[in-house]
Each structure stands twice: as C-alpha cells, then as structure tokens.
Amino acid sequence: MVVKRVGRLTGLQRDVLSLYRSCLRAIRKKPPESKRNFLIFARRQFEQHIDISKSDFTTIEYLLRKGHHQLETYSNDGVRNIAV
C-alpha cells in the first residue's frame, strides 16, 4: 500500500495516526498465535471508517475516544485473543 501525503497533517489526522501506531505497538505484546487476529481487527476498524469526511470533527473525535477505549481494553494482559 502506498500512502501519498499532500501538505501537512491536521491535528486530528495526527491523532488518528498516533492511535493506529499505538494499536500496532500493543499488538506486538500479544501472543504470537493471536497477533494476526488483533492486526486484522485493528485494520478493519480503521478501514471501516475511511470514507468519513475530514471536516466531520464530531464523528472523528467520537471514533478516537472509542478507539482509545478499545485499545485500553484490548491492551490488558488478560486479553489473549480476539475473534475476527
């Protein structure tokens, strides 16, 4: 996948990328047999909302809060796998 960047990123775009990178870092700490499931889940969550307008701040902020909450939940050591 090739990502083209045009100009500087907005604050919300940086927040979304930061959340995605945090998800990837959290996935590294999961057991090897379940890393793929967590990666698929995280990718689907972001791809599901890829068509949201950059100017839809309310929705983006809501999804960021939801994403941070999910990250906190799934980062727990007790969560060993996830259904995809």
Side-chain angles (χ1 to χ4, degrees), residues 27-44:
I27 290 169
R28 282 190 248 152
K29 298 176 184 174
K30 294 298 178 183
E33 61 275 3
S34 64
K35 284 182 181 182
R36 186 170 191 278
N37 290 344
F38 280 101
L39 180 61
I40 291 169
F41 177 80
R43 183 173 286 176
R44 281 184 184 165

Side-chain angles (χ1 to χ4, degrees), residues 37-53:
N37 290 344
F38 280 101
L39 180 61
I40 291 169
F41 177 80
R43 183 173 286 176
R44 281 184 184 165
Q45 292 298 305
F46 281 87
E47 288 176 348
Q48 182 178 2
H49 304 289
I50 201 162
D51 293 330
I52 293 175
S53 169

Side-chain angles (χ1 to χ4, degrees), residues 9 12 57 59 75:
L9 297 177
L12 280 178
F57 303 118
T59 302
S75 293

Side-chain angles (χ1 to χ4, degrees), residues 39-75:
L39 180 61
I40 291 169
F41 177 80
R43 183 173 286 176
R44 281 184 184 165
Q45 292 298 305
F46 281 87
E47 288 176 348
Q48 182 178 2
H49 304 289
I50 201 162
D51 293 330
I52 293 175
S53 169
K54 291 178 187 179
S55 61
D56 192 353
F57 303 118
T58 307
T59 302
I60 295 169
E61 289 171 348
Y62 165 76
L63 291 170
L64 280 169
R65 285 191 305 275
K66 180 181 173 188
H68 282 290
H69 178 71
Q70 285 181 322
L71 176 60
E72 182 180 329
T73 301
Y74 295 132
S75 293

